[in-house]
Amino acid sequence: MLIECPWCGPRDETEFHYGGQAHVSYPDDPSVLTDEQWARYLFYRDNPQGRFAERWCHGSACRRWFNAVRDTRTHQIVATYRTGESAPVT
Amino acid sequence: MDNEFRLANAGRIDRDRPIPFVFDGTEYLGYAGDTLASALLANGVHQVSRGVHSCRPRGILASGVTEPCALVQVEEPFDEPTLAATTVEVCAGLRARGLSGKGALTSRPDPARYDTMYAHADVLVVGGGPTGLLAALTAARAGARVMLLDDQSELGGDLLAETAPLEGRPPIAWVSGVCAELAGCQDVTVLPRTTAFGYYDDNYVVACERRTDHLGTAAPERTSRQRMWCIRARAVVLATGAHERSVAFSDNDRPGVMLAAAARTYLHRYGVLPGRRVVVFTTNDGAYQAAIDLAGAGVPVTALADARPEVPDDLAKACAAADIEVLAGHVVAGTRGDARISGACLAELRDGRLQGHREVDCDTVLVSGGWNPAVHLFSQAGGGLRYDSQLAAFVPARARQRVFVGGAARGAVTLADCLADGARIGAQASRTVGLSADAAPMPAVLQRTPTPSTALWLVPDPSGDYRRHYVDLARDATVADIVRATDAGLRSVEHVKRYTTVGTGHEQGKTSGVLATGVVATILGVDPAELGTTTFRPPYTPVTFAALAGTDRGALHDPVRVTALHDWHVAAGAMFENVGQWKRPWYYPRPGEDMAAAVWRECVAARRSVAMMDASTLGKIDVQGRDAAEFLDRVYTTMMSTLRVGRIRYGLMCRADGMVFDDGTVIRLADNHFLLTTTTGNAAAVLDWLEEWLQTEWPHLRVYLTSVTEHWSTVALVGPRSRTVLRRLAGDLALDNASFPFMAWRDATLAGTTARVCRISFSGELAFEINVPWRHAQRIWTELCDAGADLGITPYGTETMHVLRAEKGYPIIGQDTDGTVTPQDLGLDWAVSKKKRDFIGKRSFSRPDTARGDRKHLVGLLPVDPDLLLPEGCQLVADAELPAPPVPMLGHVTSSYRSPALGRTFALALVEAGRHRVGRRIHAVVDDRPVPVIVTDPVFYDKEGARRDG
Amino acid sequence: MTAQDTADAVPELPATLWRDPEPKRGYDVVIVGGGGHGLATAYYLARNHGITDVAVVDKGWLAGGNMARNTTIIRSNYLLDASAGIYEHAMKLWEGLADDLDCPILFSQRGVLNLAHSPQDVREGVRRVNANRLNGIDAEWLDPRQALEICPILNISPDVRYPVLGATYQPRAGIARHDYVAWGFARAADRLGVDLIQDCEVTGIEVDSGRVTGVSTTRGLLTARKVALCAAGHSSVLAEMAGLRLPVQSHPLQALVSELLEPVHPTVVMSNAVHVYVSQAHKGELVMGAGIDQYNSYAQRGGLHVIQRQLAAALELFPIFARAHVLRTWGGIVDVTPDASAILGLTPIDGLYLNCGWGTGGFKATPGAGWCYADTIANGVPHPLAAPLTLERFATGALVDEHGAAAVAH
Ligand SMILES: Cc1cc2nc3c(=O)[nH]c(=O)nc-3n(C[C@H](O)[C@H](O)[C@H](O)COP(=O)(O)OP(=O)(O)OC[C@H]3O[C@@H](n4cnc5c(N)ncnc54)[C@H](O)[C@@H]3O)c2cc1C
Ligand SMILES: [Zn+2]
């Protein structure tokens, strides 16, 4: 895959490492969660067949994390965007 | 007789460069430009191998990468298994033998070099036939950065075997003209002998260039034998041509059966006659030219059987002129002969039945069952296929990537169409990369409208015996095998492939795959479109393991990291241990010492006098910023914000699941400035982990992380006399306990070098960690050696470090833990803050399973026999008698050593409810026998901590 | 290796495999996914529990998913008791399976070597061997010389980047022919009356007041008292149809095969540290697998760099492979859980059962998983061997962490 780092531009996939689903935020106060709720945060992630907002880190260059929307059926990347921004497409 | 089938002056071989070679023990003569197959045919060798199961003689069916049966093992210049004779170029020193399906690996180490190139192209053109050449030319003229790859030794593709004039000249002259123009373009790379074999996401095309094999023994030693080209292209043009296929008829496997186009190639490109007397069997227009050309070369063509009931007029006339009898609506129903065909049986095919059998003598049957566009790369790229009933073939349909297919690869049949395609898609490709392009002008060429071919896959057999109607010659699979599969209930071509093994040979079904689909369709009475093809997967042609491995071998397999003191360690005779990518001194044996003796001596020095270790591989991360303290509070279980400047604290990190991930020390350099150490193997992972949290969860925190592992060299100076040694170098730095207490650090000048000295101890002894810039490491190390010489200062390695820390019960993360261990399990509750509202991992501690009191705890073990060294990894059980399996296990030994300080062996172990068992006897299973051990506190030595102050 | 192991002959495959029935309107049990696990489950439901009103539905050709793509390594030398239990149960079934199914499956117990390349690998290997032996599983620790005796082409030179320091060995481990295993189960299930329905994609799971009632498919609605998911890489997609979210991620896993070669490699060698595992299959081809591609995918393909790295590692261990050829690479979709152990058991929806998460290593579990799953479905309570593999473990923290503890895949 060719991944467009929002900071560096398009680079080969081997320069990146993967971080799974994007936009999963750490709970405000884990101590108030039930075990089940905490397990959801720890272990449960979306796994859609189709477009997926996910995290990547440009480990071999700028070392920045960013997000991508990619189709898991085709590997086609529809958009990449910076951490903290919301997905430009869904 | 040498080269009895060779024409005097046809072909593109270099008659001035004869090359002797050996095949199956006999020496023959070939010429530069020959393939092994063409040279064998020239010498009248038609049988090359035998069928893998049937052991029937097998010859040469094709002329290129589609060859299913003429397999050879190359033995010289260097062994290589399973090559098609049609792809091996005759070279100096070549020796080969025929193979029945199975190659051989030899244990001779491969001396060749392999390398990899990464390239970018605006327009990548795969295939250097007429379509590809014109596409490349168009793109080059538009100013594109072009790469043109072709798997043959010279460009031209089918034009190498074409005679009809192009622009009024021999086609090859036109090819040379295009090549010359391309060669003159600055941004154009043309690679012959380069096969694109994989098409991956985002127009990433991978090719293998064969650089030296054709030179044989004359190949230069330093040139890589094969080169992987990894090409990222903005647009790709696939002009990969088409593959002729056979028809399943009885005994269609005998040497002498050859694809019609291959015969033409042997004739025109290599100047070789495939035989002396020929019968042609076709389902389409293509084979006519082969018949006419052979007749023109003086080979009698006894008959041309065209399965179509109607024969195109112009072709019929041309045949008549060449004295070739054309039999419309006829097929070849079978062949006879032994090692070589001696005759064929012709029959009329009417309403699906054969009639009017007629035997003719011949030594060659040329067959054309139609053409399969070479859609392999297109399909790999995610392109969809569609069945074209006019062509009786699968052709490209939707593309997913930016790829343009043209010429025979999309089903074009005539040269004119191929050329037009090339110009058109060359321009299209250029335009998609933002260049304005005009299609290169079409060379003038004869136009002819082809007549549709007929979809004949299988010649019916009156007796119903299909055991010799071969579909896959590589796998020896027949129509009877396919019938058996469909009779068993299979309908999917994937199932049939697996049941019969059709298409699994070295050429992955290039001649058999679509034919098998056709045969299944015929048997089941359905349209081939319903069945489709099996999946096309990389590689398009076989690629050597070594080429794919490239340069990542030997020392380059994974980088080796060494410290600034590495040379010193080597000179001192150290044995090394791999820790992550690092080479770390393991122990320093003196002459005559084994590991145990060396480690014993090193331990004694550290506990009794003074010893030193290169600890530079510890990961070091510099943390700065307004919120640095807050950040560290979140990622360590320990409270870090209360650490005073000038002091040091031990810290544990957990994953969010509460399991210990890493440990190390944190030193506070200034209010907003810390330095962390990590374990050697985990340095990169820890930095990644911290960055991940910082950037994705807490981007509002002002914190900056920098790896400084290789900025600082670290020397651990350990032992009761360490202060004495340090004092000799430290000038006026106060080293007494009051001025420089445990877990404090000081900047100092040591022997003229700026250093940061930390009072940290991983051994329980008085100890100093001296950090100096990497480039001063050698100096400080030798100064310390000199300063401590009279005290017997002793360098020690990781093993001694492990013994010393284990005597103190300090765990090694990754050895005494395994990703399922919490800080509490390790007995490190003291390093888990109770005051912090939250930190990574905290919530997980209260999960029911994690909060259990009877989890496995890190404890000490003392074997009842003080000489018994428990093997690390041995399991622990309750009783002295083993019950029948499965035996309940309590845990396992994580670390085990001989301790000079204790004068005996001891171990650390993870034991179920271990802390509740302290003082109790359990058993370690050593060589399947339980031996008694006593569970103890993990701290064995200096429980009061009296020694750390010297 | 016996002569039979290396004979290139295709064994005489059964002349009839299965009917290709039209789906009925309803079944007792509908099994979604006709891979190895689905087929084995159907077979044991019929054979062990007499439940034959069963359909196995698959969206494509039968056993065309991971079952058709795996590298067929079978072993039971897992570290943790929970894993060892079910894999060893499977191993015992493997040992009688060809007879039980009356079908050749080419199960060849040629042993598996797991190589150690660092002192920590050695500790882990020794730990696993010791645990295996106490669990009644054959296991040995070998030094490099002994490993060489088992596999004479292994490079045990100390002068390589990551020398072999030792190996675990399970003599009863080996390989089988994946397709034949699937067909053997399919044929046996078919004969007991199970309907195997191909080209039938499940598009919805029908649930009525907390109880499953059937599945909608591309070939119509099938009612069912019980629905058993067996969809491997697609488990998340199916579970979502029932409103369930799973702790599972789908990744590409690639493998490759060489041309047929004279026998050189008599066993199975796995090296986790350098990410390669290889055996020489019955016909003579080298079969190799690699690590997963890092990203989620349903595309059944991955990147070439994974293959390149794998071959570089393979040549370090087996320099003799330098001029062997890769004929074909491919990919499957593996369903990976956080602790690298499977999930097998009940779900919050009545009558809906779940079997997934076998990731890179579920082929070897096929008979064992089918056996335990069938029992679970028949009785409505987890089979004892499957009890530790529940969904609840992710909340309680009682993970079966082969991943953390042993880090051995496949
Ligand atoms: C490259 C590779 C190598 C491997 N190597 C090994 C190994 O050496 N040893 C080992 O033990 N394991 C190995 N594995 C893992 C093993 O293959 C799997 O764990 C196992 O096959 C999964 O179980 P299964 O056979 O039931 O899965 P599958 O064969 O994948 O079956 C799932 C089925 O569900 C069907 N399905 C999905 N969605 C639907 C739907 N909506 N409707 C209907 N049907 C649907 C699919 O079509 C598929 O047929 C490997 C896997 C891969 C990919
Ligand atoms: Zn970047």
Side-chain angles (χ1 to χ4, degrees):
Chain A
M1 288 190 292
L2 189 67
I3 300 173
E4 173 110 20
C5 169
W7 307 93
C8 307
R11 295 288 189 279
D12 190 83
E13 112 186 44
T14 51
E15 293 186 12
F16 299 84
H17 63 88
Y18 190 61
Q21 186 182 354
H23 311 299
V24 179
S25 47
Y26 187 75
D28 278 344
D29 183 0
S31 68
V32 303
L33 301 184
T34 63
D35 289 332
E36 184 62 38
Q37 287 167 329
W38 178 241
R40 297 263 149 195
Y41 166 73
L42 276 184
F43 296 129
Y44 288 67
R45 293 292 180 272
D46 289 349
N47 186 23
Q49 188 176 20
R51 286 192 179 180
F52 188 35
E54 60 191 17
R55 305 184 308 158
W56 288 88
C57 174
H58 197 187
S60 303
C62 68
R63 304 190 56 83
R64 302 249 205 173
W65 282 89
F66 62 93
N67 299 324
V69 175
R70 190 178 54 96
D71 192 317
T72 60
R73 290 166 303 193
T74 60
H75 299 174
Q76 195 201 344
I77 295 179
V78 192
T80 56
Y81 52 102
R82 297 178 183 188
T83 302
E85 296 173 1
S86 50
V89 289
T90 48
Chain B
M1 200 183 83
D2 260 359
N3 284 271
E4 56 177 317
F5 285 83
R6 185 87 72 176
L7 293 174
N9 33 37
R12 300 192 45 71
I13 52 160
D14 185 350
R15 285 183 172 70
D16 295 334
R17 286 167 58 206
I19 303 174
F21 67 95
V22 177
F23 181 73
D24 276 346
T26 308
E27 187 171 314
Y28 300 98
L29 199 65
Y31 294 94
D34 259 330
T35 63
L36 180 55
S38 67
L40 288 174
L41 288 171
N43 286 286
V45 179
H46 289 268
Q47 182 185 336
V48 174
S49 65
R50 288 183 174 273
V52 58
H53 302 304
S54 64
C55 295
R56 285 162 63 96
R58 289 286 158 75
I60 296 166
L61 182 78
S63 61
V65 298
T66 68
E67 174 58 41
C69 40
L71 283 187
V72 299
Q73 170 95 19
V74 169
E75 295 172 322
E76 297 287 346
F78 193 88
D79 311 79
E80 182 162 355
T82 336
L83 295 171
T86 51
T87 62
V88 175
E89 292 184 49
V90 166
C91 64
L94 177 66
R95 205 180 75 210
R97 65 181 164 83
L99 271 192
S100 311
K102 239 182 218 186
L105 296 174
T106 66
S107 44
R108 239 194 320 169
D110 183 358
R113 298 153 60 93
Y114 299 83
D115 61 13
T116 308
M117 292 285 273
Y118 295 88
H120 291 265
D122 290 327
V123 178
L124 167 67
V125 180
V126 182
T131 312
L133 283 171
L134 213 51
L137 189 64
T138 301
R141 285 182 182 167
R145 182 150 51 141
V146 176
M147 290 187 76
L148 171 61
L149 317 181
D150 191 88
D151 74 331
Q152 295 293 305
S153 55
E154 51 179 335
L155 269 70
D158 283 350
L159 295 179
L160 296 173
E162 192 48 77
T163 47
L166 200 53
E167 264 184 345
R169 335 175 246 174
I172 201 68
W174 179 81
V175 171
S176 306
V178 174
C179 289
E181 183 174 341
L182 291 174
C185 297
Q186 209 187 355
D187 262 349
V188 175
T189 309
V190 178
L191 296 171
R193 292 193 178 90
T194 304
T195 311
F197 66 82
Y199 196 142
Y200 293 86
D201 291 322
D202 298 313
N203 275 356
Y204 189 62
V205 175
V206 191
C208 182
E209 180 188 5
R210 298 172 302 279
R211 290 155 50 84
T212 61
D213 279 354
H214 60 287
L215 303 173
T217 41
E221 217 171 275
R222 307 294 296 170
T223 306
S224 63
R225 173 180 179 239
Q226 295 180 346
R227 171 170 288 174
M228 293 276 301
W229 285 87
C230 300
I231 304 161
R232 184 75 71 178
R234 298 172 70 198
V236 174
V237 166
L238 293 179
T240 43
H243 298 154
E244 197 165 18
R245 60 172 187 253
S246 183
V247 178
F249 57 89
S250 186
D251 295 307
N252 60 345
D253 64 325
R254 291 206 162 106
V257 177
M258 184 182 280
L259 293 169
R264 234 179 139 224
T265 298
Y266 287 117
L267 177 66
H268 295 308
R269 184 166 170 196
Y270 301 105
V272 172
L273 298 177
R276 297 271 184 237
R277 188 167 204 86
V278 173
V279 165
V280 180
F281 172 22
T282 188
T283 62
N284 59 80
D285 292 357
Y288 281 80
Q289 201 58 49
I292 292 164
D293 290 357
L294 279 172
V299 179
V301 178
T302 315
L304 187 155
D306 189 330
R308 298 174 294 184
E310 305 271 344
V311 171
D313 269 351
D314 57 337
L315 297 180
K317 282 203 194 97
C319 283
D323 203 14
I324 301 170
E325 184 188 4
V326 176
L327 300 167
H330 276 65
V331 297
V332 170
T335 67
R336 65 194 138 77
D338 190 18
R340 162 120 223 211
I341 284 178
S342 58
C345 172
L346 300 170
E348 192 180 0
L349 179 66
R350 188 175 293 168
D351 305 327
R353 304 174 73 108
L354 294 186
Q355 54 191 44
H357 287 76
R358 186 173 123 195
E359 295 286 338
V360 292
D361 289 341
C362 62
D363 64 0
T364 304
V365 170
L366 301 187
V367 53
S368 177
W371 290 83
N372 301 326
V375 294
H376 304 66
L377 293 174
F378 179 79
S379 181
Q380 284 178 28
L385 303 180
R386 156 181 80 75
Y387 183 70
D388 182 320
S389 53
Q390 290 271 309
L391 294 167
F394 291 90
V395 297
R398 314 152 271 116
R400 222 194 53 224
Q401 306 203 29
R402 198 184 284 172
V403 53
F404 304 89
V405 196
R410 67 142 181 103
V413 175
T414 65
L415 180 56
D417 285 349
C418 290
L419 288 165
D421 271 15
R424 179 176 51 81
I425 61 180
Q428 274 177 353
S430 308
R431 285 196 287 270
T432 61
V433 302
L435 298 166
S436 61
D438 299 318
M442 279 271 297
V445 62
L446 228 67
Q447 293 277 8
R448 175 180 179 276
T449 317
T451 33
S453 50
T454 180
L456 177 72
W457 310 98
L458 158 67
V459 173
D461 192 277
S463 69
D465 180 357
Y466 289 101
R467 283 174 305 172
R468 296 197 315 276
H469 284 53
Y470 284 90
V471 175
D472 188 338
L473 294 145
R475 295 296 313 149
D476 248 351
T478 65
V479 171
D481 295 326
I482 293 183
V483 169
R484 192 158 190 278
T486 52
D487 280 354
L490 302 178
R491 300 179 66 85
S492 156
V493 286
E494 293 282 1
H495 277 145
V496 172
K497 168 179 173 178
R498 286 146 196 277
Y499 193 89
T500 60
T501 77
V502 165
T504 63
H506 67 278
E507 37 63 84
Q508 291 286 292
K510 289 192 183 64
T511 53
S512 60
V514 174
L515 179 55
T517 294
V519 170
V520 174
T522 309
I523 295 168
L524 298 178
V526 300
D527 192 43
E530 272 179 51
L531 297 173
T533 64
T534 57
T535 312
F536 295 96
R537 292 278 190 183
Y540 166 64
T541 53
V543 187
T544 53
F545 283 21
L548 283 160
T551 49
D552 293 348
R553 296 176 60 187
L556 297 180
H557 181 56
D558 199 28
V560 175
R561 297 173 79 186
V562 295
T563 72
L565 298 169
H566 189 71
D567 293 346
W568 192 95
H569 303 318
V570 172
M575 301 299 287
F576 290 89
E577 175 186 21
N578 284 320
V579 184
Q581 291 173 325
W582 291 98
K583 294 279 179 199
R584 295 197 73 178
W586 197 8
Y587 57 99
Y588 297 80
R590 289 190 179 157
E593 271 183 349
D594 63 3
M595 177 168 169
V599 170
W600 188 277
R601 174 179 49 74
E602 292 170 14
C603 286
V604 169
R607 293 259 183 248
R608 301 232 180 107
S609 179
V610 60
M612 61 201 262
M613 184 182 78
D614 180 1
S616 309
T617 62
L618 285 183
K620 302 174 208 73
I621 300 171
D622 183 274
V623 182
Q624 303 193 35
R626 194 184 65 202
D627 301 312
E630 164 72 18
F631 176 66
L632 296 182
D633 271 352
R634 297 183 186 200
V635 296
Y636 280 101
T637 61
T638 326
M639 181 82 90
M640 290 300 172
S641 50
T642 54
L643 182 65
R644 280 178 289 130
V645 174
R647 304 304 296 248
I648 306 172
R649 195 165 280 172
Y650 173 78
L652 264 180
M653 284 186 205
C654 286
R655 298 246 181 220
D657 65 1
M659 303 302 148
V660 174
F661 163 49
D662 202 63
D663 71 345
T665 54
V666 175
I667 80 177
R668 191 162 199 167
L669 296 168
D671 255 2
N672 296 336
H673 191 183
F674 296 80
L675 185 80
L676 330 179
T677 63
T678 74
T679 57
T680 296
N682 245 356
V686 171
L687 181 61
D688 283 348
W689 173 249
L690 299 182
E691 283 286 6
E692 180 179 342
W693 284 92
L694 190 56
Q695 292 184 35
T696 68
E697 288 302 334
W698 307 315
H700 56 281
L701 294 185
R702 289 300 175 111
V703 182
Y704 305 92
L705 306 170
T706 313
S707 165
V708 292
T709 303
E710 273 145 328
H711 300 53
W712 296 99
S713 276
T714 307
V715 179
L717 185 68
V718 176
R721 316 295 266 287
S722 56
R723 189 180 276 138
T724 313
V725 174
L726 188 58
R727 189 168 291 130
R728 293 173 181 172
L729 303 186
D732 50 10
L733 177 66
L735 295 177
D736 60 287
N737 284 318
S739 334
F740 192 175
F742 184 60
M743 293 305 252
W745 64 269
R746 298 286 179 264
D747 279 331
T749 305
L750 299 187
T753 300
T754 343
R756 181 179 298 134
V757 182
C758 303
R759 266 201 65 193
I760 297 173
S761 177
F762 199 38
S763 57
E765 297 297 332
L766 174 68
F768 298 88
E769 273 186 18
I770 302 162
N771 295 279
V772 296
W774 198 258
R775 65 180 185 282
H776 296 317
Q778 286 274 4
R779 182 143 117 242
I780 210 73
W781 181 268
T782 41
E783 293 274 358
L784 287 167
C785 283
D786 293 348
D790 59 327
L791 302 170
I793 193 166
T794 302
Y796 69 94
T798 50
E799 189 64 15
T800 292
M801 182 256 282
H802 284 181
V803 177
L804 299 175
R805 65 85 204 179
E807 289 167 344
K808 288 293 293 174
Y810 298 147
I812 299 262
I813 306 305
Q815 173 171 344
D816 300 295
T817 69
D818 63 5
T820 66
V821 176
T822 66
Q824 297 81 359
D825 297 341
L826 292 176
L828 296 178
D829 308 56
W830 59 267
V832 179
S833 164
K834 314 287 176 295
K835 297 201 196 91
K836 289 193 284 183
R837 191 180 70 106
D838 193 27
F839 53 82
I840 298 173
K842 180 178 166 84
R843 172 63 185 82
S844 290
F845 297 151
S846 59
R847 294 176 301 172
D849 191 74
T850 322
R852 273 191 299 124
D854 59 350
R855 286 175 62 86
K856 288 183 181 166
H857 302 145
L858 186 74
V859 292
L861 294 181
L862 288 174
V864 170
D865 171 357
D867 277 336
L868 177 71
L869 183 67
L870 298 175
E872 287 171 349
C874 77
Q875 294 286 329
L876 302 164
V877 298
D879 301 322
E881 292 293 319
L882 288 181
V887 180
M889 288 168 256
L890 299 176
H892 74 284
V893 172
T894 58
S895 299
S896 172
Y897 309 97
R898 284 181 202 286
S899 164
L902 306 177
R904 56 159 301 144
T905 61
F906 73 107
L908 296 176
L910 284 167
V911 177
E912 201 174 286
R915 284 197 287 276
H916 310 307
R917 294 180 201 263
V918 169
R920 302 238 293 268
R921 172 188 291 232
I922 61 173
H923 294 82
V925 185
V926 180
D927 292 333
D928 298 332
R929 272 213 304 282
V931 296
V933 298
I934 307 295
V935 179
T936 70
D937 184 84
V939 185
F940 292 92
Y941 182 72
D942 183 30
K943 281 200 202 310
E944 317 69 42
R947 300 190 59 88
R948 68 169 200 220
D949 284 333
Chain C
M1 189 161 34
T2 65
Q4 192 204 335
D5 284 343
T6 56
D8 184 20
V10 182
E12 192 65 3
L13 287 167
T16 49
L17 288 173
W18 57 80
R19 302 162 291 132
D20 212 4
E22 283 299 308
K24 296 191 292 185
R25 299 271 302 281
Y27 293 90
D28 239 9
V29 182
V30 168
I31 295 172
V32 184
H37 287 227
L39 294 167
T41 304
Y43 171 64
Y44 290 118
L45 268 178
R47 173 190 181 274
N48 294 357
H49 305 280
I51 301 175
T52 56
D53 185 23
V54 176
V56 180
V57 298
D58 200 285
K59 68 185 170 72
W61 43 286
L62 211 62
N66 293 340
M67 191 60 179
R69 295 155 203 269
N70 66 76
T71 48
T72 81
I73 298 174
I74 295 170
R75 60 185 184 90
S76 62
N77 56 351
Y78 281 73
L79 172 70
L80 302 176
D81 298 349
S83 335
I86 193 160
Y87 285 109
E88 178 58 19
H89 180 58
M91 179 65 85
K92 297 213 169 79
L93 292 171
W94 281 114
E95 287 172 327
L97 199 59
D99 287 343
D100 187 22
L101 299 178
D102 183 24
C103 181
I105 58 166
L106 299 183
F107 180 43
S108 159
Q109 291 180 287
R110 56 181 65 188
V112 161
L113 289 170
N114 288 87
L115 305 180
H117 299 273
S118 69
Q120 187 51 31
D121 283 355
V122 171
R123 283 180 206 107
E124 282 165 9
V126 171
R127 176 185 176 195
R128 191 157 46 78
V129 162
N130 286 313
N132 291 158
R133 294 177 75 90
L134 292 171
N135 268 325
I137 295 167
D138 57 321
E140 291 163 35
W141 175 254
L142 307 183
D143 65 24
R145 296 239 132 258
Q146 293 169 312
L148 188 70
E149 274 166 34
I150 305 282
C151 184
I153 57 170
L154 185 64
N155 181 10
I156 59 161
S157 157
D159 302 324
V160 301
R161 182 69 183 88
Y162 293 109
V164 174
L165 303 183
T168 70
Y169 184 54
Q170 184 182 22
R172 282 158 72 234
I175 55 174
R177 174 78 205 174
H178 47 13
D179 293 327
Y180 301 174
V181 173
W183 300 348
F185 275 119
R187 174 165 166 271
D190 176 87
R191 290 188 162 185
L192 294 172
V194 173
D195 281 356
L196 307 178
I197 300 165
Q198 310 185 70
D199 298 316
C200 180
E201 178 166 356
V202 170
T203 51
I205 296 179
E206 308 299 316
V207 179
D208 187 12
S209 22
R211 241 212 101 72
V212 78
T213 59
V215 294
S216 34
T217 78
T218 48
R219 295 176 72 174
L221 181 74
L222 309 183
T223 62
R225 283 203 312 117
K226 296 181 176 182
V227 172
L229 303 184
C230 253
H234 286 86
S235 295
S236 303
V237 179
L238 276 152
E240 204 188 313
M241 295 175 193
L244 294 180
R245 205 167 172 233
L246 299 179
V248 165
Q249 300 281 292
S250 296
H251 289 276
L253 179 65
Q254 301 184 69
L256 63 90
V257 68
S258 79
E259 73 264 54
L260 308 189
L261 296 162
E262 301 288 349
V264 288
H265 181 29
T267 182
V268 182
V269 172
M270 307 177 62
S271 168
N272 245 50
V274 298
H275 277 304
V276 69
Y277 48 100
V278 57
S279 66
Q280 186 169 19
H282 308 82
K283 295 204 306 263
E285 67 271 34
L286 299 170
V287 179
M288 305 180 106
I292 59 172
D293 281 75
Q294 52 179 345
Y295 44 79
N296 290 31
S297 167
Y298 289 87
Q300 294 188 323
R301 60 194 163 75
L304 181 70
H305 58 277
V306 176
I307 304 272
Q308 289 174 302
R309 228 175 274 154
Q310 167 197 3
L311 287 172
L315 293 191
E316 294 296 291
L317 297 176
F318 302 104
I320 186 177
F321 291 171
R323 293 198 181 191
H325 302 95
V326 176
L327 291 198
R328 188 174 180 85
T329 63
W330 64 88
I333 312 168
V334 294
D335 39 338
V336 179
T337 62
D339 60 357
S341 290
I343 304 169
L344 200 164
L346 316 183
T347 69
I349 296 168
D350 263 359
L352 182 68
Y353 297 84
L354 179 63
N355 171 27
C356 67
W358 294 94
T360 60
F363 173 69
K364 66 181 69 65
T366 304
W371 180 289
C372 295
Y373 197 32
D375 186 274
T376 304
I377 297 162
N379 299 320
V381 289
H383 183 280
L385 287 176
L389 303 177
T390 57
L391 260 180
E392 287 78 48
R393 71 180 189 269
F394 297 100
T396 63
L399 302 189
V400 183
D401 203 347
E402 285 289 338
H403 202 45
V408 180
H410 316 291

